[in-house]
Amino acid sequence: MMFKRVLIAEDHESASISVRKTLEDLGIPPAEYTFYCDDALMHIKKNVHADQPYDLLITDLSFEEDHRPQKLSSGMELISAVKLIQPSLKILVFSAENKAAVVDTLFKELGINGYVRKARHDAKDLKLALEAIYKHKIYLSEDLKQTVKQKNAYEFTDFDITIISLLSRGMLQKEIPVYLQENNIRPSGLSSIEKRLNLMKEVLGFSKNEQLVAYCKDFGII
């Protein structure tokens, strides 16, 4: 027997049904499911209290708002709250989100066990993820591995992020030194700014600042 007690937090019924079907195919007993993060947390608290804790939580990251106010509005908030109540609970994120910075944070800071992106072959990925997590391994779907690897190829400093953020707001490169000086940010010289931009573009394989800005937006760096 694989996992015995599984909870699914997913606000789209069709996605919830496909996850339950995948669990069924692996011989896992029927999972409980909820459309709200607050309800998911309540179920986890109740089961821990009853000494019948869940073995696995499968959660989305984004939950649409409706008529019912929620304290926890995202999967990330739910995971943070769950880790305080049941730190050993295995967590699999099943989401359409593909920003490397978000995925990275979930693994490094929140300690999730697996991440599968909602995509064309996600049923196959879900099965592989469940098998890997059950064997105490970490799972990241193949399409995201390259994305995270690229993001980690260059470590952005606070100074880098400031420069890129200013460019993304439409500020010209030659105007940035004035802004840095006014805000007591060092170094503030144009040559220092040019060096950092050239280094980032060289490492990430870009020729234009616009490409660098677009990349940082896509991967949630700015």
Side-chain angles (χ1 to χ4, degrees):
M1 181 68 72
M2 215 191 228
F3 296 106
K4 291 177 184 172
R5 291 192 184 89
V6 180
L7 177 65
I8 301 165
E10 168 62 68
D11 61 350
H12 287 175
E13 198 168 4
S14 58
S16 176
I17 290 166
S18 72
V19 173
R20 279 181 278 158
K21 173 74 172 69
T22 302
L23 294 172
E24 197 180 293
D25 290 348
L26 288 169
I28 297 169
E32 291 180 50
Y33 64 94
T34 173
F35 297 121
Y36 299 96
C37 293
D38 286 7
D39 287 354
L41 187 64
M42 184 189 69
H43 282 304
I44 288 162
K45 280 180 180 174
K46 190 176 76 176
N47 278 38
V48 167
H49 187 68
D51 205 21
Q52 292 184 320
Y54 290 105
D55 305 313
L56 175 71
L57 166 67
I58 300 174
T59 182
D60 196 349
L61 290 179
S62 59
F63 289 77
E64 287 177 16
E65 288 182 22
D66 64 6
H67 61 280
R68 196 174 143 185
Q70 296 292 302
K71 287 181 185 172
L72 303 172
S73 59
S74 72
M76 202 173 264
E77 288 177 15
L78 170 62
I79 294 164
S80 296
V82 164
K83 284 289 178 182
L84 297 174
I85 295 157
Q86 191 184 341
S88 61
L89 179 62
K90 297 266 197 295
I91 297 173
L92 171 59
V93 171
F94 183 45
S95 170
E97 176 63 76
N98 67 347
K99 285 181 180 168
V102 173
V103 178
D104 226 23
T105 298
L106 286 162
F107 278 105
K108 289 181 180 174
E109 294 179 24
L110 295 179
I112 67 165
N113 304 89
Y115 194 111
V116 172
R117 194 165 80 86
K118 289 178 181 175
R120 195 163 290 160
H121 303 293
D122 55 23
K124 182 183 78 175
D125 261 333
L126 273 173
K127 283 183 182 175
L128 291 171
L130 289 162
E131 286 164 355
I133 293 167
Y134 185 69
K135 292 172 186 169
H136 308 291
K137 293 177 182 174
I138 295 294
Y139 186 86
L140 179 61
S141 51
E142 210 55 49
D143 59 334
L144 285 170
K145 277 183 186 171
Q146 197 56 36
T147 302
V148 172
K149 194 175 169 186
Q150 279 181 330
K151 183 255 173 189
N152 289 330
Y154 181 85
E155 287 298 324
F156 290 87
T157 65
D158 290 341
F159 183 65
D160 295 337
I161 292 166
T162 300
I163 297 168
I164 298 163
S165 298
L166 293 171
L167 289 172
S168 75
R169 289 182 223 156
M171 191 176 286
L172 297 174
Q173 191 172 312
K174 63 182 179 184
E175 295 170 346
I176 293 176
V178 176
Y179 174 91
L180 298 179
Q181 285 159 16
E182 285 173 352
N183 288 275
N184 295 316
I185 298 169
R186 299 282 183 273
S188 59
L190 186 57
S191 64
S192 299
I193 294 161
E194 285 169 353
K195 276 179 192 168
R196 290 309 299 177
L197 286 169
N198 289 337
L199 176 64
M200 286 185 269
K201 285 184 288 191
E202 188 183 334
V203 171
L204 296 165
F206 299 128
S207 57
K208 296 177 181 175
N209 287 347
E210 290 81 5
Q211 293 168 312
L212 179 62
V213 170
Y215 171 88
C216 291
K217 280 182 179 174
D218 286 344
F219 290 114
I221 294 157
I222 58 168

